Amino acid sequence: MVGILGAPSRQPEGLDFYYLRNQPAISTLPVIHGPYPATLLNTSYNDAYISFDLNQDTAFFSSDRNGDFDIYAMERPAETTIENWLNSPYSDATPVDSLNSSYADKCPFVYKKFIVFASDRPGGMGGFGEAGGGGLSDMSRGMGRGLA
């Protein structure tokens, strides 16, 4: 079992992703290994707030690699384990244009077929107080003030 976490980078430039490996044990406590850097996703910028879809074959995360925070996605090949995928050499992730705006969009969270994220775009409740969201197939719809 692999657990993903965003942790302060060992580099002064920004945040990176790390993961833990949980080896089941015969005793009452499992053996935890790591943290290991997720070399596939990490850049010298702030990479944070990772969330996987229901099948764990697509990772959504935030990064400020192009200026403001935007949401990115990367698909895992079906024949590759999550651990081997995260240990792969760095590869560019795809910006999720249906979610991103010219403002900071970050903190994606995927639940079943829905994705929720924070944004400081106009019309919100100030700062990152309003979450946007919608179905994974219709990701441009905001959730509105009813969340407050």
Side-chain angles (χ1 to χ4, degrees):
M1 173 173 278
V2 174
I4 307 293
L5 57 121
S9 170
R10 296 178 191 187
Q11 304 170 349
E13 293 88 14
L15 299 173
D16 279 341
F17 293 114
Y18 288 84
Y19 69 93
L20 301 171
R21 189 170 28 133
N22 178 354
Q23 292 294 129
I26 296 174
S27 69
T28 57
L29 296 175
V31 178
I32 307 292
H33 298 279
Y36 303 107
T39 55
L40 174 73
L41 304 172
N42 292 334
T43 66
S44 60
Y45 297 94
N46 292 303
D47 303 306
Y49 313 113
I50 194 166
S51 184
F52 285 87
D53 68 350
L54 185 62
N55 298 322
Q56 296 186 337
D57 57 8
T58 303
F60 293 89
F61 63 95
S62 299
S63 179
D64 63 355
R65 59 186 71 176
N66 288 326
D68 286 333
F69 272 96
D70 281 322
I71 298 172
Y72 293 83
M74 184 170 282
E75 291 186 27
R76 177 177 59 90
E79 67 279 357
T80 306
T81 66
I82 291 177
E83 184 174 7
N84 287 341
W85 182 57
L86 293 172
N87 280 321
S88 300
Y90 172 79
S91 181
D92 283 333
T94 304
V96 182
D97 293 334
S98 59
L99 294 179
N100 294 327
S101 67
S102 59
Y103 297 88
D105 303 302
K106 60 183 184 177
C107 307
F109 177 75
V110 178
Y111 178 72
K112 296 186 179 181
K113 294 184 178 183
F114 294 92
I115 187 166
V116 178
F117 62 99
S119 180
D120 65 350
R121 56 183 83 174
M125 298 177 71
F128 289 97
E130 180 178 354
L136 287 176
S137 60
D138 174 27
M139 295 190 277
S140 61
R141 184 171 53 107
M143 295 178 80
R145 296 185 179 275
L147 294 176

